[in-house]
Amino acid sequence: MTMTGSVPEPRFMRFGAISDADGNLLDNGLTVFFSGPTSFTGEDSCEFHLHGGRAVVAAVLEAVGAVPGFRHAEAGEFSRRAFLNGKIDLTGAEALSDLVSSETEAQRRFALTNAGGKQSELYAAWRRRIVHARAMIEAELDFSDQEDVPGSVSDQVWADMHKMIGEMETHIASYRRAEMIRDGFKVVILGAPNAGKSSLLNSLARREVAIVTDEAGTTRDLVEVTLDLDGMKVIVIDTAGIREAAGKVETIGIERALATAETADLVLEMHDLSASVRAELPMRGDAASITVGTKSDLMGGGTSAVEDFRISTKTGDGVASLLAEISRRAKQAIGDIGEAMPSRIRHIELLTRSASALRDAVQHQDNPLELRAEDLRRSSDSLGRIAGAVDVEDLLDSIFSTFCVGK
């Protein structure tokens, strides 16, 4: 009321003057009031929709901060209040953070899938199965002499828990795909000096990001660009030319190049078609690779049994086809974006802990049922911590501090 004269009807926008406590007009805009518990945070809240000038926004924020009992929100405070008031769980809060920071269509879709509850529903369903198994085991322990309790439920319980371990392990393995969506599909360009690596990077980036000269060993450190290919984040990394006769600094660059290639999702092995001798690259690791013949304008187009692609960054021949293949490989590696996948390393840690406890319960058949039931409890508690259902106060600061102010 201090700034708008009266409180609008809940969930209806009202146009009017927005003033400070002294009655000075700040802007003419829209005001909307959300009453708790049906707001995002579960508490009464109000929004001002202003003209976007910095001076307007700064003046309104200053006026709001001057109202007694009001202060600026801390980073992630709105989402934290929503969590504490039971409006969202921790996976939903993390998905909201991912949605705010999404840069590509794949990241947006992945964040929306998790924000929609698909991830938390999976963990809740697993937890319910474990809690049911634990209840059946404890019922057998406590009431085995009662007629309405089955004589032995162990076979059914442990068969289902064994099946769940496999489901968890498959889910944990999908984290690499989630990493590709969030952090990018990593493509490393590897080749001898003057093989056209930096020229290809500049061609893909459509700007001069790497120095290109006739002098060998120009690139000595990693140079990377981020591309958006069909809605997917793809990181392309140029590396030092691979050769034996290199100086001390260049040798360090070569070692970095080979080490980076080991962790790549895809390696482009570049070979100069105009060179008299084909350079052999000391590939390490088992990363997927594509062999690319460069400077095809000097040798003629087409491909051969040796190269998967022939390109010319000078004429542009073959570059689009190579880019399409990189995109196809990225799509294949990422798979179904709509599938529930763990989106944080803390999810992996807790899922691994849960699966380990479940494995203890299933495999240690000689242990007393009391101990195996305790393993089930540890497993369900680890799952509960993912969504915030069990003892997560120590996690809240680290999770919500990653949000923007006002989110």
Side-chain angles (χ1 to χ4, degrees):
M1 292 179 61
T2 301
M3 300 181 66
T4 61
S6 63
V7 178
E9 183 180 352
R11 297 185 176 277
F12 281 87
M13 282 189 166
R14 187 183 70 187
F15 177 78
I18 299 173
S19 307
D20 63 17
D22 297 325
N24 299 310
L25 179 66
L26 302 177
D27 193 18
N28 289 303
L30 297 169
T31 304
V32 57
F33 173 68
F34 298 96
S35 59
T38 56
S39 65
F40 171 72
T41 62
E43 304 168 353
D44 290 346
S45 60
C46 178
E47 291 182 359
F48 294 137
H49 294 251
L50 312 169
H51 292 94
R54 290 185 179 181
V56 173
V57 174
V60 171
L61 286 175
E62 182 179 355
V64 172
V67 176
F70 282 68
R71 62 171 174 79
H72 288 285
E74 298 176 359
E77 185 168 356
F78 282 88
S79 297
R80 182 168 184 158
R81 286 178 180 236
F83 166 73
L84 294 174
N85 290 325
K87 306 297 290 185
I88 57 175
D89 62 16
L90 285 186
T91 56
E94 290 166 329
L96 180 61
S97 177
D98 287 342
L99 187 61
V100 170
S101 61
S102 61
E103 300 174 314
T104 66
E105 177 64 12
Q107 291 172 336
R108 183 192 68 83
R109 289 170 55 196
F110 180 56
L112 277 179
T113 295
N114 289 338
K118 197 166 186 178
Q119 186 182 19
S120 58
E121 286 170 6
L122 174 64
Y123 301 153
W126 280 343
R127 192 168 182 236
R128 284 194 297 269
R129 285 164 65 184
I130 296 173
V131 169
H132 173 73
R134 183 181 167 196
M136 297 297 285
I137 292 297
E138 292 181 351
E140 183 176 337
L141 281 168
D142 297 337
F143 307 107
S144 58
D145 58 337
Q146 302 295 318
E147 293 182 358
D148 58 346
V149 177
S152 176
V153 296
S154 295
D155 290 345
Q156 300 173 36
V157 166
W158 301 126
D160 186 47
M161 294 300 96
H162 180 75
K163 178 182 177 183
M164 191 185 299
I165 292 171
E167 294 172 9
M168 284 186 175
E169 289 175 344
T170 300
H171 181 71
I172 291 170
S174 69
Y175 178 62
R176 182 66 196 105
R177 292 164 50 208
E179 273 191 314
M180 290 181 192
I181 295 172
R182 294 183 70 237
D183 302 332
F185 181 82
K186 189 165 76 172
V187 179
V188 173
I189 306 175
L190 209 64
N194 289 333
K197 302 183 301 299
S198 298
S199 295
L200 176 60
L201 186 74
N202 291 339
S203 177
L204 296 178
R206 298 184 179 181
R207 57 191 174 91
E208 296 295 321
V209 293
I211 299 173
V212 178
T213 70
D214 293 332
E215 181 182 342
T218 304
T219 302
R220 298 187 177 186
D221 208 344
L222 305 178
V223 181
E224 66 178 53
V225 297
T226 300
L227 307 178
D228 184 340
L229 297 185
D230 295 328
M232 296 171 295
K233 183 177 181 179
V234 176
I235 300 173
V236 184
I237 304 173
D238 183 21
T239 62
I242 309 299
R243 62 173 176 173
E244 293 184 3
K248 184 176 180 180
V249 175
E250 194 177 345
T251 299
I252 295 174
I254 292 171
E255 184 57 35
R256 286 184 182 178
L258 295 173
T260 303
E262 283 188 80
T263 62
D265 299 307
L266 179 65
V267 175
L268 303 183
E269 297 183 47
M270 310 288 283
H271 295 278
D272 184 354
L273 295 174
S274 65
S276 56
V277 179
R278 180 186 173 89
E280 293 300 324
L281 302 179
M283 292 290 293
R284 301 190 316 211
D286 55 359
S289 63
I290 297 175
T291 306
V292 181
T294 63
K295 306 178 185 179
S296 64
D297 54 300
L298 302 178
M299 303 297 294
T303 60
S304 69
V306 179
E307 293 87 24
D308 298 312
F309 290 88
R310 284 191 173 187
I311 66 169
S312 169
T313 55
K314 184 176 182 179
T315 65
D317 289 344
V319 175
S321 297
L322 176 60
L323 203 58
E325 177 63 14
I326 294 173
S327 177
R328 187 191 71 80
R329 298 268 187 130
K331 278 184 182 178
Q332 185 180 53
I334 289 172
D336 182 11
I337 296 174
E339 179 184 334
M341 291 180 277
S343 55
R344 291 288 194 283
I345 191 63
R346 80 171 188 92
H347 300 170
I348 294 299
E349 292 171 352
L350 290 168
L351 285 165
T352 301
R353 196 181 304 170
S354 177
S356 177
L358 205 58
R359 197 175 293 108
D360 287 342
V362 172
Q363 293 180 349
H364 297 165
Q365 299 178 15
D366 295 333
N367 281 351
L369 280 180
E370 293 90 341
L371 294 181
R372 301 177 76 185
E374 173 62 15
D375 290 332
L376 293 179
R377 185 198 64 78
R378 292 191 297 113
S379 180
S380 65
D381 281 0
S382 293
L383 283 176
R385 286 177 63 85
I386 298 177
V390 178
D391 185 29
V392 291
E393 187 63 32
D394 57 326
L395 288 174
L396 299 186
D397 288 340
S398 64
I399 289 174
F400 290 104
S401 64
T402 62
F403 282 70
C404 303
V405 172
K407 292 294 185 291

